[in-house]
Amino acid sequence: DLGTALDWIEQAAERGNAQAMYDLGHAYGLGLGRVVDYALSVEWLEQAEAAGQPQARDLARLMRLKGGP
């Protein structure tokens, strides 16, 4: 199920996987398997950008517009 998949993605993100950070930020931003949390979304997306994920910056901007920090 989606919740279990996101648990695995979160573990990968915590270990430094840039794509997993992006995916987790996206999930928090859209409420996919997680409660919508724009602050957490932006946090993960900023980490993804710092780790080299090329789309993270644009999605982080969108999440800030929706209510993130």
Side-chain angles (χ1 to χ4, degrees), residues 1-68:
D1 72 53
L2 184 57
T4 301
L6 285 170
D7 291 341
W8 285 103
I9 291 170
E10 187 165 3
Q11 288 179 29
E14 289 170 349
R15 290 185 179 115
N17 182 292
Q19 186 61 48
M21 292 173 189
Y22 176 85
D23 292 342
L24 193 57
H26 200 190
Y28 275 113
L30 297 179
L32 298 173
R34 298 287 191 258
V35 174
V36 172
D37 187 327
Y38 296 121
L40 269 176
S41 175
V42 170
E43 182 179 322
W44 280 114
L45 291 166
E46 286 175 344
Q47 289 182 49
E49 180 184 2
Q53 208 292 341
Q55 298 167 315
R57 182 185 344 179
D58 292 334
L59 188 55
R61 284 185 196 155
L62 177 61
M63 293 306 153
R64 283 187 199 98
L65 289 173
K66 289 183 171 246

